[in-house]
Amino acid sequence: MVVGIGARAGVDAADVVAAISTVLQPDWHVEAIASIDRKAELVAAVASSMGVRGVTYSASELSTVVTPTVSVRVLRAVGSASVAEAAALLAGRSTELAVPRFGLDGVTVAVVALCLDGGPGVRAIL
């Protein structure tokens, strides 16, 4: 699984891990954490604490991904109408969310099953 994350300012890695743990199924294995490049330090901290890889994308890259949810507030703040869903879909090289956008305490999480088709998303994280 690939977990896409978005977070408001002031959110720390423990907050993100707590939000992730609320949506993961017991039999799911997380391969990577993905987000926008401006959250690279947070992604690195979360990925390190979970023992997985992290990957980030520019707002421009995220804005090319079609997502079920869009946010005008997020668009104005970061330049992409989706962060968690778009990052998960892009990194997981998928078009379908296993867990759509879920928010908890300033953290947004979305999950996709990693598509192992050799596409660019897979190369970016493995």
Side-chain angles (χ1 to χ4, degrees):
M1 307 304 275
V2 175
V3 180
I5 62 168
R8 293 192 177 169
V11 168
D12 64 22
D15 297 327
V16 176
V17 172
I20 291 169
S21 69
T22 64
V23 300
L24 290 182
Q25 299 296 317
D27 60 334
W28 287 356
H29 174 74
V30 176
E31 293 289 335
I33 304 299
S35 191
I36 194 165
D37 54 7
R38 65 191 285 170
K39 294 292 182 181
E41 287 184 31
L42 181 61
V43 169
V46 171
S48 177
S49 74
M50 295 179 66
V52 301
R53 289 188 167 80
V55 61
T56 60
Y57 299 97
S58 69
S60 176
E61 290 172 302
L62 294 176
S63 67
T64 66
V65 180
V66 176
T67 59
T69 309
V70 296
S71 169
V72 173
R73 183 189 63 77
V74 172
L75 177 61
R76 288 182 182 142
V78 302
S80 173
S82 173
V83 172
E85 288 180 338
L89 290 165
L90 192 58
R93 190 71 176 147
S94 181
T95 58
E96 186 174 326
L97 294 162
V99 176
R101 184 174 85 168
F102 168 80
L104 178 68
D105 299 329
V107 178
T108 304
V109 176
V111 182
V112 302
L114 179 63
C115 180
L116 297 174
D117 68 356
V122 174
R123 286 193 296 275
I125 63 173
L126 296 179

